[in-house]
Amino acid sequence: MSSVLSPQTWPFALSRLPESAHLVGGSVRDALLGRKADYLDLDFVLPCDAVETARAIARHYDAGFV
């Protein structure tokens, strides 16, 4: 069974994030507690350029950006 904590399950390439990015939030808590979420909700902490990184990922995948 794949975990949301595994980058292979994410809808974008891990290489799109800086090395110093950290996965945080409810998805981490739920995975550690063995809870299954109804939807994928990934939250990351980046040391800098978070908006630019998110915008670049959205642009690359032709996705929405808010």
Side-chain angles (χ1 to χ4, degrees):
M1 181 166 116
S2 294
S3 167
V4 70
L5 300 180
S6 173
Q8 291 79 16
T9 66
W10 300 349
F12 64 91
L14 178 61
S15 62
R16 295 272 164 200
L17 292 173
E19 272 189 43
S20 55
H22 295 277
L23 180 61
V24 299
S27 62
V28 174
R29 176 203 59 224
D30 291 345
L32 293 172
L33 292 174
R35 295 178 185 164
K36 180 139 174 110
D38 293 333
Y39 58 91
L40 185 61
D41 180 20
L42 300 175
D43 298 310
F44 296 91
V45 172
L46 282 66
C48 62
D49 302 323
V51 172
E52 293 82 0
T53 300
R55 186 177 285 127
I57 291 171
R59 189 178 316 117
H60 179 79
Y61 290 100
D62 197 28
F65 175 80
V66 178

